[in-house]
Amino acid sequence: EADIYQTPRYLVIGTGKKITLECSQTMGHDKMYWYQQDPGMELHLIHYSYGVNSTEKGDLSSESTVSRIRTEHFPLTLESARPSHTSQYLCASSEWDNARNEQYFGPGTRLTVT
Amino acid sequence: GNSVTQMEGPVTLSEEAFLTINCTYTATGYPSLFWYVQYPGEGLQLLLKATKADDKGSNKGFEATYRKETTSFHLEKGSVQVSDSAVYFCALRYSSASKIIFGSGTRLSIRP
């Protein structure tokens, strides 16, 4: 069973607020990822990290930022939330060593910006 | 480039029907192939995987065979249940340094 956690599970917030979505894993994985999932279900990679102090932008441009100060923690921050940020955000992690390793996903945070 | 194409949904079946969800891929080299499932309100879970040609992944009555000659990894189940209603994602990963590439997802609904 995957040990990857996301908080909060649901968040409704007003425009202009700063928010941080938390993601933690207890598996010691080096690689971590953030995906944005639109209502049509498609997953878009917005950030990833290969280890501490490593962060990269994903395939979909995002106004959010991430940090990786500790192996187990990969928070995502929106400095000023807008209605266009309303979406489901999924965090994932995987081991480094080979291509056979799958990603483990957290339960997601459903964000609504009003 | 590397990509995954899967059957568009939604797919609606009656309980105990046979299920096939098609998935084809384009990749350099020899990728690993995965099927993930997402139940309502949850994140994705690995359903099964295959890491080389002719491998068959199986779990919970679902099966998929890695077919290099047709670059396919179709998901099948002989008799679906209402509890199988979910979104299914086909995915590939082609090296230890690469990200996983996901298909667009197929929503499956099973009628009692």
Side-chain angles (χ1 to χ4, degrees), chain A residues 4-12 20-23 34 37 87-91 105-112, chain B residues 38-44:
Chain A
I4 180 164
Y5 309 98
Q6 290 185 245
T7 58
R9 290 293 312 276
Y10 303 91
L11 179 62
V12 180
T20 296
L21 308 184
E22 302 288 348
C23 175
W34 276 104
Q37 186 173 29
S87 190
Q88 167 95 324
Y89 292 85
L90 294 171
C91 180
F105 282 81
T109 294
R110 183 164 295 283
L111 172 65
T112 302
Chain B
Q38 184 178 29
Y39 297 104
E42 298 183 12
L44 278 69

Side-chain angles (χ1 to χ4, degrees), chain B residues 80-100:
Chain B
V80 292
Q81 306 300 313
V82 172
S83 57
D84 294 327
S85 298
V87 179
Y88 292 81
F89 292 90
C90 185
L92 71 81
R93 186 176 181 186
Y94 56 92
S95 75
S96 61
S98 75
K99 302 161 281 184
I100 289 185

Side-chain angles (χ1 to χ4, degrees), chain A residues 9 36 43 45-46 49 59 72 81 83 90 97 105 107 109 114:
Chain A
R9 290 293 312 276
Q36 187 172 336
L43 294 163
L45 181 68
I46 52 175
S49 167
D59 306 318
E72 63 270 22
L90 294 171
D97 52 18
F105 282 81
T109 294
T114 61

Side-chain angles (χ1 to χ4, degrees), chain A residues 17-85:
Chain A
K17 300 290 187 184
K18 178 180 178 179
I19 58 169
T20 296
L21 308 184
E22 302 288 348
C23 175
S24 295
Q25 49 95 6
T26 58
M27 296 173 282
H29 289 168
D30 287 314
K31 294 178 149 180
M32 295 190 75
Y33 311 82
W34 276 104
Y35 292 86
Q36 187 172 336
Q37 186 173 29
D38 61 27
M41 307 168 300
E42 193 158 355
L43 294 163
H44 301 285
L45 181 68
I46 52 175
H47 298 284
Y48 60 100
S49 167
Y50 287 154
V52 170
N53 294 326
S54 152
T55 60
E56 303 287 343
K57 290 194 178 295
D59 306 318
L60 180 70
S61 176
S62 173
E63 293 166 346
S64 58
T65 58
V66 291
S67 62
R68 188 92 183 273
I69 297 171
R70 302 198 315 265
T71 297
E72 63 270 22
H73 195 214
F74 191 41
L76 180 146
T77 298
L78 277 165
E79 290 292 333
S80 180
R82 294 209 300 268
S84 60
H85 297 138

Side-chain angles (χ1 to χ4, degrees), chain B residues 25 33 53-55 65-74:
Chain B
Y25 67 90
L33 301 174
D54 300 325
D55 266 3
T65 301
Y66 189 146
R67 302 277 188 210
K68 187 170 181 298
E69 64 277 12
T70 54
T71 62
S72 65
F73 193 54
H74 305 320

